[in-house]
Amino acid sequence: MDGPSILHADLDAFFASVEVRDDPSLRDRPVAVGGGVVLAATYQARAMEVNAPMNAATARLRCPSLIIVKPRFDAYVAASRAVMEILERYTPRIEKISIDEAFLDVSGSRRLFGSGPEIAGRIRDDVRAEVDLPISVGVATTKHLAKIASRVAKPDGLCVVPAGGESEFLAPLPVGFIWGVGPVAQRKLAGYGICTIGELAALAPPTIEAWMGEHWGAHLWALANNRDPRPVHGKATAGSVGAQSAGDATDIDKRRNTLLALADRVGSRLRRKGFAGRRVSVAVRFDDMTSVTRATTLPAPIAETDPIYALASSLADSLVAERAEGRRVTLVGISVSLLARTPHLQLTLDVDPQASEGVRPGSPHHLRRRELDRAVDLVRNRYGRDAVRRAALAGAKPEVRAPTEQLDEDGE
């Protein structure tokens, strides 16, 4: 049997680690990055129960000696690029899932660099030597298990789950280690006497589906039994453009305004780079730090702000309605993927104006939005981004996180 070859590389306390690296006086001290809200915290701060996304005033009450530094997103982007360049030495099959973490499939790199665990060790050494940042790596036979292994490895460690030993590794771990299972789901499962992944895996699928819902229950059972067929999407796939905003977005009007600002940013960058995409994804994070994503795929690519916003707001509204369970929404994000160079647009006949008119590629409404965006882009290119703003966003400027707004290198 081949050894594990799926890696999950995750930089530890990334923003905070960059600040400590660049200011040695902060080493071994409780440090948080942020302003009114904590974006990241060192493990010394976490030991005092300071975590993101926590109000800075609450963080200071928990840790009076806490040092809060302002974020430097340019520094984080530069560090992320340096780390990703190291990962690319070992395989082209890299799936970057955020600014500080990525999956790798190194099954085709064994003859050059050795086994999965050996490559993971080399990556950790290179990142420490060249970028001077701590990174934890999990090595397993599936993406889900590799991510769990990297969490077990933290901080600054390496965890290998041998092929054939997956069930033994998972069984004693808390159910909260499963990706997407937050405190609310943990409490619900605990009410049924289920606290570990092994206990969850031993149940019959219909039982979990009755407790948690058909789709979610089946998904949990599959992950608990390490059934995760998802491949690592590497350089052969199209890139993506995304942006996100942290802050209270529980109120539907505030959330929609934030999504409109994000769609405006994502759409304008797609158009500037000459790309359009068929897949629109939305990410929502709750105050218990669980994150959920939802996506829809279109028959043709789009890059216009209004259609992106219409799809994103619909996805986010349904997701929050189904999954909020009384939790606050603390982050929303939009991503457009399955990119292609902006193609010639195939016009569609206006035979059913009620059928998704706002987002139907090639529809009359879509063409009008396309011309409007072109005019806005021309004005902004000449006079600056703030020269034209949407009326819905007048007087408000949702904070868009620059590090998550990016065009993957394979899409440049």
Side-chain angles (χ1 to χ4, degrees):
M1 181 181 292
D2 291 336
S5 59
I6 304 299
L7 278 59
H8 180 255
D10 192 1
L11 289 154
D12 300 315
F14 178 50
F15 291 0
S17 293
V18 172
E19 297 300 335
V20 171
R21 178 198 66 181
D22 294 347
D23 183 357
S25 70
L26 300 176
R27 194 171 300 278
D28 298 324
R29 302 177 70 181
V31 177
V33 176
V37 176
V38 172
L39 301 177
T42 62
Y43 284 91
Q44 291 79 8
R46 295 183 188 186
M48 302 297 291
E49 299 185 345
V50 173
N51 292 287
M54 179 181 288
N55 181 279
T58 302
R60 289 192 184 279
L61 286 175
R62 293 188 178 185
C63 181
S65 60
L66 183 68
I67 301 170
I68 299 181
V69 298
K70 292 182 178 180
R72 298 180 300 129
F73 292 118
D74 288 347
Y76 311 147
V77 170
S80 174
R81 286 175 177 166
V83 171
M84 296 302 159
E85 287 175 2
I86 290 173
L87 302 185
E88 289 171 356
R89 296 174 189 170
Y90 294 96
T91 177
R93 300 179 70 180
I94 299 172
E95 182 179 345
K96 184 177 179 181
I97 57 175
S98 73
I99 191 174
D100 59 350
E101 59 180 319
F103 287 109
L104 299 83
D105 183 342
V106 297
S107 57
S109 306
R110 293 179 177 134
R111 290 187 179 181
L112 288 174
F113 303 113
S115 66
E118 290 171 333
I119 292 173
R122 295 177 65 166
I123 287 172
R124 294 188 66 246
D125 290 343
D126 290 350
V127 171
R128 176 61 79 178
E130 298 175 33
V131 194
D132 194 20
L133 289 175
I135 187 169
S136 296
V137 183
V139 187
T141 52
T142 65
K143 289 170 69 172
H144 176 251
L145 193 53
K147 187 170 176 67
I148 290 179
S150 72
R151 181 174 175 180
V152 171
K154 287 184 174 294
D156 196 18
L158 170 62
C159 178
V160 179
V161 183
E166 294 89 352
S167 296
E168 182 180 357
F169 173 80
L170 284 171
L173 296 177
V175 290
F177 273 58
I178 295 177
W179 201 355
V181 175
V184 173
Q186 290 178 59
R187 287 193 295 269
K188 189 170 184 178
L189 288 169
Y192 294 108
I194 304 300
C195 297
T196 68
I197 296 178
E199 292 168 342
L200 185 65
L203 293 172
T207 301
I208 308 176
E209 292 169 16
W211 294 347
M212 310 299 289
E214 182 178 355
H215 175 76
W216 182 232
H219 182 66
L220 287 179
W221 183 87
L223 294 182
N225 285 276
N226 194 40
R227 299 190 179 184
D228 181 13
R230 296 172 301 162
V232 174
H233 295 290
K235 289 289 186 178
T237 62
S240 64
V241 172
Q244 66 183 28
S245 177
D248 192 342
T250 308
D251 177 78
I252 188 170
D253 291 332
K254 184 175 181 179
R255 183 171 66 249
R256 286 178 176 175
N257 280 348
T258 300
L259 288 169
L260 179 57
L262 294 174
D264 189 31
R265 181 64 65 93
V266 170
S268 63
R269 185 137 198 247
L270 282 168
R271 297 188 297 271
R272 187 169 69 250
K273 295 290 185 179
F275 281 91
R278 291 194 300 114
R279 188 173 181 84
V280 176
S281 305
V282 165
V284 174
R285 188 174 70 194
F286 299 103
D287 56 4
D288 60 4
M289 294 303 291
T290 59
S291 297
V292 187
T293 60
R294 186 159 291 177
T296 187
T297 302
L298 296 169
I302 61 171
E304 290 68 41
T305 295
D306 279 0
I308 293 171
Y309 164 70
L311 288 168
S313 61
S314 176
L315 290 169
D317 287 350
S318 63
L319 194 156
V320 171
E322 293 175 15
R323 302 292 295 276
E325 302 179 53
R327 295 176 288 179
R328 290 189 304 108
V329 176
T330 60
L331 178 145
V332 290
I334 296 175
S335 175
V336 177
S337 57
L338 299 182
L339 302 185
R341 289 289 176 184
T342 304
H344 295 291
L345 189 62
Q346 177 66 49
L347 302 182
T348 60
L349 294 175
D350 196 12
V351 294
D352 186 6
Q354 303 301 318
S356 304
E357 167 63 17
V359 298
R360 185 155 47 94
S363 69
H365 181 87
H366 180 227
L367 293 177
R368 290 193 294 270
R369 297 299 94 186
R370 197 181 202 194
E371 291 305 312
L372 174 62
D373 282 336
R374 283 178 178 171
V376 170
D377 291 342
L378 285 172
V379 174
R380 285 177 169 174
N381 290 340
R382 184 167 184 177
Y383 298 106
R385 182 167 188 83
D386 291 333
V388 180
R389 298 189 65 190
R390 291 175 175 265
L393 302 178
K397 193 173 184 179
E399 184 178 2
V400 178
R401 296 296 178 197
T404 61
E405 183 200 359
Q406 60 198 14
L407 186 64
D408 296 344
E409 290 304 317
D410 51 308
E412 287 286 3

